[in-house]
Amino acid sequence: MTADSWRNLIEHIGLLYQEYRDKSTRQEIETRRLQDSQTDPEESSPSEETPPEAEPTSTTENKAPPQISLLRNSNSRFNLWQDLPEIRSSGVLSILQPDEIKLQEAMFELVTSEASYYKSLNLLVSHFMENERLKKILHPSEAHILFSNVLDVMAVSERFLLDLEQRVEENIVISDVCDIVYQHTVNHFSVYITYVSNQTYQERAYKQLLQDKPAFREVISQLELDPKCKGLSFSSFLILPFQRITRLKLLVQNILKKVEEKSDRETTALDAHKELETVVKACNEGVRKMSRTEQMISIQKKLEFKIKSVPIISHSRWLLKQGELQQMNGPKTSRTLRTKKLFREIYLFLFNDLLVICRQIPGDKYQVFDSAPRGLLRVEELEDQGQSLANVFILRLLENADDREASYMLKASSQSEMKRWMISLAPNRRTKFVSFTSRLVDCPQIQCVHPYVAQQPDELSLELADVLNILDKTDDGWIFGERLHDQERGWFPSSMGEEILNPKIRAQNLKECFRVHKSDDSQRRKLGSRNRQ
């Protein structure tokens, strides 16, 4: 492919990255829906993309092949690698195996999506950051918090795109891209950690500027209305780097699923994925660190110890769950006792390594009357005890603040709240469905069709097209799931997803998940048992 042809392609990518990302993930959802609806194993295997004629509807968009890169628009005539004029005229499509064509499309999507991402970054800098009116309104310190090291991020993206461009120009058939991803991740992608770690400060500064500076609010609104922004908000540009580094890992996973096993390309894809995963985890930790520290300081100020004081603030400690439960009165009360004053309120703070049990007192304070290490907690659900004892469970402290065993009979406000407390208190407790690490059991799965932002520490934020194993569910509409691509666990409303009914698709999803993580045996052993909250 000539340099001129490639540059022409890049220039004609009309979608901003936000548009590309949204359409791409929605296409993944539609593809899985189509695959899930196929019950005849002879019709199509889970790993094969279904041809356009198998689509259930007749709209133009749905007739597009499932693996479409979705960068097409009125300004671009290119949809796929195989649609490029150079590819069609070369005759190479009649020589390559179907699996190799799918791999070419996966690598091509990584390259063209980076071009779309660079285009959006460039707009963030040229249209917003370098706007003269905005520069006069913002103090240099405010501008630094708002835009952080975005110039470094854009420079890294440009260098990365140039190397990808050079690779595409080398041969009409792309040899590999994961070796380039690996080199850039190791040598340059640390700029993403810096940018993403600033996200909490960035969001706070942006909200404060909108509130305190009407001139800032007015300029941002005017800039957002510019046609080149395509109706996208300023904040959607600010979060681009975090979205991209996460998406890049998924694109490498997609390549990894298509390369031949035990090949050099599998090795480079595994290496690239491992390094990207390290960067993504560092980004996540950077975001959490500041908010966790502030939260721990706030909690410490609210606690008054009736027992021996326990130091709350620690760099290795964070909050998992907090809230009110009802405790059964009396240390030896019968389970079947019926009185008006059967329960009284207590308040729990559960950290990753410690449980603190309190009673709320005036002045937004909490008096601590017991505590225990999280590893010494056990839970047991009570069943068929009547309405007054519905959603009741036993919490046992194997060693409490007085160095003795203690038991509490606790009542939650709903079934989902009871199960959420039980799983948080004892994360290694067996859930309703066997964890997906067991290849012998067909674990239920769900695909996210609506994004969800976690509201509590024990909840899981979801992106479109995420696939999760269902580890537990409640009758009142909550699911405890484990996301396949990163093994993060948490609760989310069942209305956010659609269950995957085809067992062959579920088996294929698990197979691909194990393949992606097979380079790390220790991680495989931990899948399904490690608490990721």
Side-chain angles (χ1 to χ4, degrees):
M1 188 174 182
T2 65
D4 287 343
S5 296
W6 172 248
R7 291 191 186 97
N8 182 59
L9 170 64
I10 296 300
E11 288 172 5
H12 281 80
I13 289 176
L15 291 183
L16 293 174
Y17 185 69
Q18 299 95 314
E19 299 172 293
Y20 152 77
R21 184 172 175 270
D22 181 62
K23 291 189 177 183
S24 180
T25 51
R26 291 190 182 280
Q27 182 68 26
E28 288 180 46
I29 291 171
E30 291 305 320
T31 301
R32 285 202 195 97
R33 280 175 174 163
L34 180 61
Q35 291 173 333
D36 195 35
S37 67
Q38 295 172 346
T39 56
D40 183 0
E42 297 300 319
E43 256 181 62
S44 173
S45 72
S47 59
E48 293 177 352
E49 278 83 356
T50 306
E53 55 268 25
E55 293 281 354
T57 61
S58 59
T59 62
T60 304
E61 183 176 340
N62 284 342
K63 286 184 179 179
Q67 73 272 35
I68 190 167
S69 70
L70 291 162
L71 288 169
R72 117 186 112 147
N73 60 83
S74 58
N75 298 320
S76 175
R77 54 204 171 100
F78 304 120
N79 302 334
L80 299 162
W81 171 81
Q82 58 193 290
D83 287 337
L84 295 169
E86 290 83 358
I87 302 300
R88 289 198 169 279
S89 62
S90 69
V92 72
L93 293 175
S94 61
I95 300 172
L96 294 179
Q97 294 295 318
D99 286 348
E100 179 62 32
I101 294 176
K102 292 173 189 173
L103 176 58
Q104 290 294 311
E105 298 293 3
M107 293 190 289
F108 186 69
E109 182 181 7
L110 186 147
V111 179
T112 51
S113 64
E114 186 67 27
S116 177
Y117 167 62
Y118 178 74
K119 177 176 181 175
S120 292
L121 276 183
N122 191 51
L123 189 58
L124 170 62
V125 172
S126 62
H127 186 62
F128 290 99
M129 182 178 173
E130 295 179 350
N131 179 270
E132 290 301 325
R133 288 178 62 197
L134 203 59
K135 287 163 80 172
K136 290 177 181 177
I137 294 169
L138 294 176
H139 187 275
S141 62
E142 294 172 330
H144 177 70
I145 294 173
L146 201 56
F147 295 103
S148 189
N149 64 327
V150 69
L151 292 176
D152 296 334
V153 173
M154 191 169 74
V156 164
S157 175
E158 182 176 17
R159 190 184 299 118
F160 182 41
L161 187 57
L162 287 171
D163 283 353
L164 291 172
E165 173 186 337
Q166 185 177 354
R167 177 62 56 83
V168 172
E169 292 171 0
E170 285 176 1
N171 196 301
I172 199 167
V173 177
I174 305 169
S175 58
D176 197 1
V177 293
C178 288
D179 56 330
I180 298 174
V181 175
Y182 172 81
Q183 292 295 333
H184 281 261
T185 305
V186 170
N187 298 318
H188 307 298
F189 282 4
S190 60
V191 297
Y192 282 95
I193 301 173
T194 304
Y195 186 93
V196 175
S197 297
N198 182 58
Q199 186 174 317
T200 305
Y201 297 98
Q202 185 186 66
E203 290 175 353
R204 185 178 299 170
Y206 181 49
K207 289 178 182 177
Q208 201 66 42
L209 286 167
L210 288 175
Q211 181 178 323
D212 297 344
K213 293 192 174 184
F216 172 81
R217 187 168 60 247
E218 181 184 348
V219 171
I220 290 294
S221 297
Q222 290 175 356
L223 292 174
E224 288 175 334
L225 290 173
D226 192 294
K228 57 178 74 166
C229 290
K230 299 188 175 182
L232 296 165
S233 67
F234 174 54
S235 58
S236 77
F237 287 91
L238 289 178
I239 62 172
L240 282 170
F242 186 47
Q243 290 180 333
R244 179 56 182 171
I245 196 65
T246 306
R247 184 67 182 174
L248 194 57
K249 189 186 83 164
L250 298 180
L251 291 170
V252 170
Q253 282 187 9
N254 192 36
I255 293 171
L256 182 54
K257 295 169 187 176
K258 293 175 171 58
V259 295
E260 55 276 24
E261 294 196 45
K262 298 180 181 179
S263 65
D264 290 341
R265 289 196 291 193
E266 183 189 53
T267 301
T268 57
L270 284 168
D271 289 344
H273 180 267
K274 185 177 179 181
E275 294 301 325
L276 279 169
E277 196 164 46
T278 300
V279 172
V280 171
K281 284 181 179 178
C283 287
N284 286 329
E285 282 304 307
V287 171
R288 292 170 181 158
K289 189 174 181 180
M290 177 191 167
S291 58
R292 282 176 173 173
T293 301
E294 290 185 342
Q295 188 177 46
M296 296 300 286
I297 293 171
S298 174
I299 292 172
Q300 173 81 67
K301 291 178 179 177
K302 295 179 179 181
L303 299 183
E304 293 183 0
F305 285 84
K306 186 178 180 181
I307 57 173
K308 183 181 177 181
S309 179
V310 178
I312 296 298
I313 299 174
S314 167
H315 290 298
S316 59
R317 179 174 294 154
W318 61 88
L319 184 72
L320 293 181
K321 190 170 180 62
Q322 70 179 77
E324 187 177 88
L325 290 169
Q326 305 289 314
Q327 179 197 359
M328 177 172 282
N329 277 323
K332 296 181 180 178
T333 308
S334 166
R335 292 184 179 185
T336 58
L337 181 65
R338 301 290 188 268
T339 66
K340 284 187 177 180
K341 297 289 186 179
L342 185 60
F343 295 99
R344 62 181 298 189
E345 293 80 12
I346 65 169
Y347 202 93
L348 273 57
F349 289 95
L350 178 66
F351 305 100
N352 60 309
D353 61 346
L354 176 72
L355 172 67
V356 175
I357 306 177
C358 321
R359 297 199 196 283
Q360 192 163 10
I361 57 178
D364 194 25
K365 298 279 187 179
Y366 299 88
Q367 187 178 66
V368 180
F369 64 88
D370 210 350
S371 66
R374 186 178 180 222
L376 297 180
L377 304 177
R378 300 293 184 268
V379 293
E380 174 191 349
E381 183 177 354
L382 295 184
E383 298 180 356
D384 302 323
Q385 295 293 328
Q387 186 60 38
S388 64
L389 290 178
N391 308 319
V392 172
F393 66 98
I394 303 288
L395 169 63
R396 285 198 300 128
L397 283 55
L398 300 185
E399 186 177 306
N400 72 350
D402 296 326
D403 297 324
R404 60 180 178 82
E405 185 171 327
S407 292
Y408 295 90
M409 190 174 291
L410 303 174
K411 180 180 176 68
S413 59
S414 64
Q415 185 197 44
S416 59
E417 189 64 11
M418 178 190 70
K419 286 200 171 189
R420 286 170 69 163
W421 269 113
M422 292 178 70
I423 287 177
S424 295
L425 288 163
N428 294 324
R429 178 178 171 272
R430 189 179 182 87
T431 54
K432 183 175 182 179
F433 303 105
V434 177
S435 177
F436 76 93
T437 47
S438 172
R439 293 170 181 258
L440 303 176
V441 178
D442 182 20
C443 183
Q445 292 178 3
I446 192 168
Q447 172 181 225
C448 172
V449 295
H450 303 290
Y452 179 69
V453 178
Q455 306 297 312
Q456 300 291 334
D458 65 336
E459 294 180 7
L460 184 65
S461 291
L462 301 177
E463 298 282 354
L464 286 173
D466 279 349
V467 176
L468 305 97
N469 283 295
I470 300 173
L471 302 183
D472 211 334
K473 61 168 64 172
T474 69
D475 296 335
D476 52 354
W478 284 85
I479 287 175
F480 182 59
E482 186 165 48
R483 189 162 44 215
L484 264 62
H485 77 74
D486 61 3
Q487 291 81 57
E488 290 282 343
R489 288 182 173 189
W491 290 91
F492 55 90
S494 57
S495 58
M496 295 299 107
E498 296 174 352
E499 194 160 342
I500 297 173
L501 303 177
N502 191 326
K504 291 186 177 294
I505 301 299
R506 294 197 296 266
Q508 180 69 20
N509 290 338
L510 291 184
K511 180 182 177 182
E512 291 174 349
C513 175
F514 279 109
R515 186 181 180 189
V516 164
H517 294 284
K518 75 177 184 177
S519 63
D520 189 347
D521 290 333
S522 62
Q523 182 168 348
R524 173 183 281 187
R525 287 194 297 271
K526 293 176 184 177
L527 298 184
S529 62
R530 178 197 284 179
N531 177 16
R532 300 277 181 170
Q533 297 172 46

